[in-house]
Amino acid sequence: MPFLNEEVALRHRRRTWIPGLLLISPSLILLAVFVYGLIGWTFNLSLQDRHNARPAKGYVGFDNYTKLFTADINDRFVHSLQNLVVFTVVFMAGTLLFGLIWALLLERRARAEGFFRTIYLFPMAVSFVASGVVWRWLMNTGQGDSAGGINAIFHGLGLGFLESPWWTHPDWGMAAMAMPAIWQLAGYVMALFLAGFRGIPEELREAAVVDGATTFQLYRQVLFPQLTPTILSALIITGHMSMKMFDLIMSVSGAQWLTEVPAVYVWQTLLTRDYAKAAAISVFLLLVVAVVVVPYLIHVNRSEKRS
Amino acid sequence: MRLSRRVAVVAVAVGTMFATVACGSTDEPGAASADVEVFTWWADGGEKAGLDGLVGVFGTDCKDFKFVNGAVAGGAGSNAKQVLASRLQQNEPPDTFQAHAGAELSDYINDDQVEDLSAQYSEWGLTNAFPKGLIDNLTVDGKIYSVPANIHRANVLWSNKTVLAKAGITKDATTLEGFFADLDKLKAAGVAAPLALGKDWTQQMLFEALLISKLGPDKFNALWNGSGDWAGAEMTAAINDYKKLLTYTNKDRDTFDWTDAEKLLMDGKAAYQLMGDWEAADLDAKGFKDYGWSVFPGNGNVFQWLADSFVLPKGAKNAEGTKCWLKTVGSATGQAAFNQKKGSIPARTDVGTDGFPAYQQAAMADWKTATQVPSCPHGSACAQTWQGAVSSAQGKFSSDGDVAALQAALASAAAEFGPKKK
């Protein structure tokens, strides 16, 4: 009776997936409503002319988006993007550089490796708000006799020429703003690299040494090429953090022109009840992050399937 | 059978979860008819003391009603404004809320969230109790929507007497030229940055004080009601003077709040600071006695005011209770009780000066005779969207000193957010 068998099999299959679906359905529904539903709601809002608390009068297409680039006073939005680019580049380069250096040092089986690993990793446990308050003081912009923080140390050591306006520099201020972020995240990148190094089979090193490779060649030719996935992960993680940066900037400088990035701009726009504009900036920010993250996810997915 | 029972168990579990979620969102506050919820950001310090004074008067004048404190602390009111915005959106307004009097209220008026109080103004005799300049500024299309509880003055120049004496300055300057001369004297006497300044909104305050000197009160008022000229040569000249004024200020101004700038004054590193008259209460509280004050040089008898006020929101649960609260806020006893503690002055001109500190007594005398003009950073001259654009433009000017860019930004902010030209 092949027909009956098929029916049994079908019923059996249904029985196995229904409980599973029911089990994950709460989180699925919550995700659908509170993540994707709200993204849709925000996108919908960004297409309307809702510039105050009254209900919108209608849809304006992508006007809110184009106006960000063409009709923003003082090109405020473009300026916030420029700030974000400087911040992101310095932050990502800084964490990679320091993360790599520390990982190389510890990878050589340094004494008390566990201790140093903890020391380097520890800043990550501090919230951006707390470290922002401390760095706000460290990066005191007073110079000469009214110097404070790092500037005061330079001044006291007779290294006055090193004193810096830090984040108040009109062009490179955001590079200074990236310093606390580097301090916090470099340890995490170091941990990623360490894991990457440890994941490389010992035989490869031995083989390279047997073949007469110098230490430099060992790293350059054998170890680094295997770290590509690690570097990619580090870039994605630090990159998306940096693009959404808000709390650190708010606690170091507060919301102001000099250090404004899109996330802070959204906050400022919301405070002044321009809901449609705030929604447009948020969606734009989401898209920028997605452009970076989604290809990475696809890549990871593919390589997992391949292996 | 075992399988389907498992399905049933999971289904029940899921159902229960949703039921719990649904139940969590139905906590209606038990609104008793006597409760009047007063929403403010006055949660501590002199502001809290002032509110308590007002509540005392409310308790005797409005025995039928009960005061419910709806204060939201933190962020100089920005937290409270967020909470308020969402409550208004959900049509769950408090019985009354605090808002800056003047143009900042236009957000609520345009959004149809507050009631017209013109009838109550004549009923309670407020129309004659407040100065005409204030009434003019409060009136929108012939209607008044709020009752101011207090008045602060924005255009006050505070000084450190010792520093001035060392530089040989014995008299307050009364013109801009005189002020520049004094600043030069101070620089020559070794005070590198004689004028203490903070970040964007404090810069806008300084800029406005200078504008009042350059344009006079009528043209200054016109800037905010849509008939003024932001793009003209007079404005260019004023911005150039402002740029010159910035050269006398501390370079790290963008990192300073007003209290940091105040510290420069107290430490004798600066001689002057332009700030609202809440600085008097703050200096007193910090035990600094060596300060002097004058109106900003060239402002004459212009009183740049800002005020906290209360409104009757549309859909307030207890409108009668709110009216009684507003009547208390506008009454002479209510204003005296509030302002003696908060460090501001009554908006009414018929409150006795007894019990007020020295600075307030002088300000109360000025308030009666002065010409009133509003302030943008404090909401009496412009709405919040406009304030945001202006602060941002000042922040930019502070770092690049681009006169043309500042003027263009101010002009487009006025065109985009200000009232249309009449």
Side-chain angles (χ1 to χ4, degrees), chain B residues 82-384:
Chain B
Q82 287 288 317
V83 175
L84 181 63
S86 65
R87 285 187 61 174
L88 291 175
Q89 260 184 323
Q90 296 157 13
N91 284 321
E92 278 253 342
D95 291 307
T96 182
F97 61 84
Q98 171 193 4
H100 283 139
E104 197 172 299
L105 266 185
S106 64
D107 289 334
Y108 302 103
I109 299 169
N110 292 336
D111 294 350
D112 206 22
Q113 289 166 331
V114 289
E115 300 275 9
D116 174 19
L117 295 171
S118 312
Q120 281 71 30
Y121 259 67
S122 37
E123 184 189 329
W124 299 336
L126 296 180
T127 323
N128 297 321
F130 296 148
K132 188 176 173 303
L134 176 64
I135 294 280
D136 286 348
N137 274 311
L138 291 178
T139 308
V140 181
D141 295 331
K143 294 173 183 165
I144 302 180
Y145 294 86
S146 71
V147 179
N150 63 350
I151 292 292
H152 275 296
R153 188 176 200 170
N155 58 338
V156 186
L157 187 68
W158 305 91
S159 53
N160 181 320
K161 283 184 186 164
T162 312
V163 178
L164 290 188
K166 265 190 205 152
I169 298 166
T170 49
K171 242 179 82 205
D172 294 328
T174 53
T175 61
L176 263 184
E177 290 71 31
F179 187 46
F180 277 124
D182 284 351
L183 288 169
D184 282 330
K185 266 189 217 164
L186 284 156
K187 264 197 161 174
V191 185
L195 180 59
L197 189 59
K199 67 182 206 172
D200 42 24
W201 62 272
T202 66
Q203 293 161 15
Q204 174 68 12
M205 283 182 76
L206 180 65
F207 178 62
E208 285 183 5
L210 183 136
L211 276 186
I212 296 171
S213 293
K214 296 286 285 185
L215 305 179
D218 293 338
K219 280 185 186 165
F220 181 80
N221 269 329
L223 290 175
W224 309 106
N225 65 25
S227 58
D229 182 13
W230 285 95
E234 267 187 312
M235 184 61 72
T236 318
I239 297 177
N240 275 313
D241 270 8
Y242 172 63
K243 187 174 178 177
K244 185 176 162 199
L245 199 53
L246 283 186
T247 61
Y248 295 96
T249 65
N250 41 306
K251 284 198 185 63
D252 47 2
R253 52 188 174 257
D254 292 313
T255 67
F256 278 14
D257 210 333
W258 71 274
T259 43
D260 303 313
E262 183 194 36
K263 189 162 186 303
L264 289 182
L265 183 87
M266 288 163 61
D267 293 348
K269 287 179 181 164
Y272 296 113
Q273 182 192 8
L274 178 106
M275 190 35 65
D277 59 8
W278 47 90
E279 179 139 330
D282 202 60
L283 288 169
D284 288 341
K286 287 171 179 164
F288 181 75
K289 295 197 174 60
D290 193 28
Y291 68 89
W293 73 81
S294 72
V295 63
F296 186 79
N299 278 192
N301 72 337
V302 175
F303 192 117
Q304 193 183 25
W305 66 273
L306 55 117
D308 294 300
S309 68
F310 285 94
V311 296
L312 173 57
K314 289 226 161 123
K317 286 191 208 76
N318 188 357
E320 284 314 305
T322 304
K323 281 181 190 159
C324 201
W325 170 261
L326 294 177
K327 193 176 176 184
T328 306
V329 167
S331 70
T333 41
Q335 298 228 323
F338 180 72
N339 288 297
Q340 283 176 5
K341 301 231 174 73
K342 185 175 186 284
S344 44
I345 66 167
R348 296 178 72 109
T349 50
D350 58 356
V351 179
T353 55
D354 295 345
F356 282 91
Y359 169 76
Q360 265 104 306
Q361 293 199 5
M364 285 165 80
D366 284 353
W367 178 239
K368 284 182 197 166
T369 54
T371 311
Q372 279 89 16
V373 301
S375 151
C376 180
H378 299 290
S380 47
C382 62
Q384 288 185 46

Side-chain angles (χ1 to χ4, degrees), chain A residues 12 15-16 18-19 22-23 25-26 29-30 50-54 71 73-74 76 136 140-142 146 167-168 170 253-258 260 267 270-275, chain B residues 1 3 7 10-11 14 17-18 78 82 85 88-89 107-113 199-200 252 254-255 260 269 384-385 388-389 392-393 395-396 399 405 409 412-413 416-417:
Chain A
H12 184 73
R15 275 185 181 166
T16 44
I18 285 181
L22 275 176
L23 265 178
S25 64
I29 293 171
L30 289 178
R50 192 147 185 254
H51 299 298
N52 51 42
R54 291 199 151 192
I73 292 173
N74 270 339
R76 192 168 163 187
R136 177 195 171 93
N140 188 314
T141 55
S146 61
W167 56 266
T168 54
S253 72
Q256 58 167 299
W257 164 268
L258 271 173
E260 193 162 72
W267 169 253
L270 263 184
L271 272 181
T272 54
R273 297 176 157 214
D274 194 340
Y275 298 105
Chain B
M1 272 328 279
L3 251 183
V7 173
V10 170
V14 171
M17 252 193 70
F18 277 94
S78 62
Q82 287 288 317
L88 291 175
Q89 260 184 323
D107 289 334
Y108 302 103
I109 299 169
N110 292 336
D111 294 350
D112 206 22
Q113 289 166 331
K199 67 182 206 172
D200 42 24
D252 47 2
D254 292 313
T255 67
D260 303 313
K269 287 179 181 164
Q384 288 185 46
T385 37
S392 166
K396 177 174 186 292
S399 74
S412 28
E416 193 174 339
F417 306 116

